[in-house]
Every structure is written in C-alpha cells, then in structure tokens.
Amino acid sequence: MNVMDDKDIALDALAASKTDISLLSKVIPETTNHQLRQMLTNQLNSCINDHFKLSDMVISKGWYPAYATPQDQLKNDLNKVDEINR
C-alpha cells in the first residue's frame, strides 16, 4: 500500500495549482459576461497568490529543487524513477 506523505501531498497540490492557473487564464479571455469575468479574474489572482505561498513552502523544505541546475534536476528525476522501479 502506498502512503502519501506531506511532501507528496504538497507537490500534488502544487501541480493542481498550476493546472488551475492555466485553465483560468485560458477561460477568462473567452468570457463575455463582465461579472463572470471579474469573478474568474479574482479567482485567478487568489490561485496565483496561493501558488506562490505553496511553492515557497516546498522550496524552503527542499522538496522542490527550483534552483538546481538542469543536470541536477535530471539526475534527481532519474533517481526517483530508479526508486520507484525497485
């Protein structure tokens, strides 16, 4: 049985947050109703602020190597794949 720890939950939430921001940014320009557009824009701004907070947290805990070199990021990803395949 796979158990999700705090890191897994935070990284999944970060990925979901990116998806939410992407979808909202695509739908807002297509919205013709001013009130709905304003509501969605407010939601987008809230999502972006929450995303910044969440990304700051995972970076500070060392769960997301945002400042690693591309080579180090690739090495980390390959190590994770090796761990999963064991």
Side-chain angles (χ1 to χ4, degrees), residues 77-86:
D77 289 344
L78 292 173
N79 288 338
K80 288 177 191 174
V81 169
D82 285 343
E83 289 174 10
I84 292 170
N85 290 329
R86 288 184 196 164

Side-chain angles (χ1 to χ4, degrees), residues 3-83:
V3 177
M4 290 183 70
D5 60 11
D6 290 344
K7 176 183 175 182
D8 295 326
I9 294 167
L11 292 176
D12 282 353
L14 191 65
S17 174
K18 289 178 188 179
T19 300
D20 292 345
I21 290 168
S22 176
L23 292 174
L24 282 166
S25 67
K26 289 176 183 175
V27 75
I28 291 169
E30 303 297 327
T31 306
T32 57
N33 181 288
H34 177 71
Q35 290 174 317
L36 179 58
R37 186 172 47 240
Q38 187 60 48
M39 183 191 74
L40 292 172
T41 300
N42 292 341
Q43 185 65 36
L44 175 61
N45 290 330
S46 178
C47 286
I48 290 170
N49 289 331
D50 291 346
H51 183 83
F52 287 153
K53 292 175 191 173
L54 184 57
S55 62
D56 288 345
M57 182 196 72
V58 297
I59 290 168
S60 72
K61 291 187 176 282
W63 295 342
Y64 187 81
Y67 303 112
T69 65
Q71 294 84 1
D72 288 340
Q73 289 178 3
L74 181 59
K75 184 178 177 182
N76 288 338
D77 289 344
L78 292 173
N79 288 338
K80 288 177 191 174
V81 169
D82 285 343
E83 289 174 10

